[in-house]
Amino acid sequence: MDINRPPPAGAAPPGPRPAKTILRALAGETQPVPPIWMMRQAGRYLPEYRATRAQAGDFLSLCYNPDLAAEVTLQPIRRYGFDAAILFADILLVPQALGLDLWFVTGEGPLLSTATTPAEVAALKPTPAIHDTLSPIYETVRILRRELPAETTLIGFAGAPWTVATYMIAGRGTKDQGPARALLTADRATFAALIDRVTDATIEYLSAQIEAGAEVVKLFDSWAGSLRGPDFDDFAVAPAAKIIAALKARHPAVPVIAFPREAGPRYAGFARATGADCVALDNSVDATWAAQNVQRDGCVQGNLAPQHMVTGGQALVDETRRIVRAFSGGPHIFNLGHGITPDADPENVALMVRTVREAREGCEAGEGR
Ligand code: CP3
């Protein structure tokens, strides 16, 4: 067995070597070619996604239609042969399952009713009731486990409590998470109660995805970078640690990827502090620094800038090779540093996948060194 890094804290007990490339990386194995998938790989840059979304009517109807949600999950696998599929859903389904109203307005992003007072937080639905809303998502997972190729890993996901709470407090996406940070300062008890409710719902939601067949789960903390100092410990690290501990108690063999986006220096030690098996890096992080300071604790995922999917060319090839090389000494899953954007060219995605998979031949030929 070629496991050349100590397993991260909370990693699955030693067992037979997993067959799938992503699961091998998550078990701590260094591979000559890193497995690859892409954040938002099912999305508007793909014409076949736009067609299925039109068939569903709107984005939320697509999320709650298991056959069509499974179809859009499979589209990028058919086109590119990624090593993992990510369940098609959204992090804001959890607030909706807790009783908030949710709309997606074209050109404006999500809009929600809010929970910012003690009474509004207390009025959220009890945790077990989330399954009434979310059961179609579990059906999507079951369909995918039947239909995915044998070598493709299925990743489930949820938003991390802080990121989800920023939307529940502001009622929309915000540039600086100002409303959520203001509530945190003005009424820390209500804020913490909201975080606790989302944390508990997230544990049950991810457990149900795993029971339906998700092989890995990812926790998206897209706005972690706006938490500072002790607030980062209390509201990015602690909820992730609680969720991961609960999942590991129930499903010890299922790896967890954490994505504390824009955590900067706080990426170092994040896996140890939370029990995550892998930390996903955004593209503001220097790969050489991350290889030394984050990958030393286990698998890392990332971190090509999504802009390369728009601009393509030799810069895409050079940067892809540089990232593969920087992380070649340890377990690595190649990915973008954030979601692919709707203006991306599908041909550039194909070029990225080819470049990653040819990286080994390039290294052996001494190219690009
Ligand atoms: O990655 C995938 O292919 C799986 C599906 C997925 C979606 N959203 C589908 C989606 C995942 C993993 C997410 C996560 C998500 N959703 C995050 C965390 C990751 C990140 O990007 O930082 C966040 C913050 C959201 C909330 C959200 N959903 C916003 C702010 C928006 C509007 C912005 C936009 O890109 O339009 C969405 C909509 C959304 N979620 C789309 C997709 C494919 C576009 C909807 C459409 O088809 O119009």
Side-chain angles (χ1 to χ4, degrees), residues 191-203:
F191 177 84
L194 178 61
I195 291 285
D196 281 347
R197 288 303 324 276
V198 178
T199 300
D200 290 347
T202 303
I203 290 167

Side-chain angles (χ1 to χ4, degrees), residues 25-331:
L26 290 167
E29 184 176 328
T30 305
Q31 295 171 90
V33 174
I36 177 170
W37 67 281
M38 191 173 70
M39 277 187 259
R40 291 276 174 101
Q41 62 191 22
R44 286 164 294 182
Y45 74 105
L46 287 179
E48 59 268 36
Y49 169 82
R50 296 195 298 269
T52 310
R53 180 173 173 270
Q55 193 187 337
D58 58 64
F59 173 67
L60 281 177
S61 305
L62 178 54
C63 289
Y64 288 118
N65 181 321
D67 289 319
L68 295 183
E71 166 58 24
V72 293
T73 305
L74 291 165
Q75 286 168 350
I77 309 305
R78 289 188 201 117
R79 203 187 247 262
Y80 302 113
F82 286 122
D83 295 281
I86 183 159
L87 166 68
F88 189 85
D90 197 84
I91 66 165
L92 299 179
L93 305 186
V94 166
Q96 188 176 38
L98 285 168
L100 298 189
D101 296 321
L102 173 66
W103 310 263
F104 278 85
V105 182
T106 313
E108 274 201 66
L111 293 178
L112 301 82
S113 58
T114 58
T116 59
T117 64
E120 285 166 348
V121 174
L124 292 170
K125 290 186 185 167
T127 303
I130 65 169
H131 303 307
D132 299 345
T133 301
L134 297 171
S135 55
I137 310 306
Y138 315 143
E139 181 56 22
T140 307
V141 172
R142 284 190 284 269
I143 295 172
L144 284 167
R145 277 309 295 278
R146 287 199 300 271
E147 297 201 355
L148 276 168
E151 66 276 15
T152 313
T153 302
L154 179 59
I155 303 176
F157 74 93
W162 158 249
T163 289
V164 172
T166 65
Y167 292 91
M168 297 174 80
I169 293 164
R172 58 193 311 134
T174 48
K175 272 207 162 56
D176 58 355
Q177 295 72 59
R181 286 186 295 114
L183 182 66
L184 193 169
T185 307
D187 185 355
R188 202 174 174 96
T190 301
F191 177 84
L194 178 61
I195 291 285
D196 281 347
R197 288 303 324 276
V198 178
T199 300
D200 290 347
T202 303
I203 290 167
E204 298 311 319
Y205 181 41
L206 290 176
S207 282
Q209 291 182 26
I210 292 167
E211 279 151 27
E215 299 170 280
V216 173
V217 293
K218 179 168 175 185
L219 208 46
F220 283 90
D221 211 350
S222 303
W223 304 120
S226 61
L227 289 169
R228 292 278 178 266
D231 289 339
F232 186 91
D233 293 310
D234 292 349
F235 300 119
V237 175
K242 185 174 175 192
I243 291 165
I244 293 169
L247 294 176
K248 293 286 178 187
R250 296 184 202 177
H251 310 284
V254 175
V256 182
I257 303 172
F259 182 38
R261 192 168 79 89
E262 294 190 351
R266 303 296 309 261
Y267 274 115
F270 196 84
R272 255 174 296 146
T274 58
D277 301 274
C278 175
V279 175
L281 303 162
D282 70 79
N283 45 281
S284 71
V285 180
D286 176 66
T288 306
W289 176 86
Q292 283 162 12
N293 295 283
V294 188
Q295 200 183 27
R296 59 187 291 180
D297 288 335
C299 187
V300 292
Q301 179 178 282
N303 71 341
L304 182 68
Q307 189 58 25
H308 286 293
M309 298 301 100
V310 181
T311 52
Q314 192 58 38
L316 182 169
V317 172
D318 290 347
E319 190 57 9
T320 298
R321 287 184 179 158
R322 191 183 69 78
I323 290 167
V324 169
R325 260 199 319 275
F327 291 121
S328 62

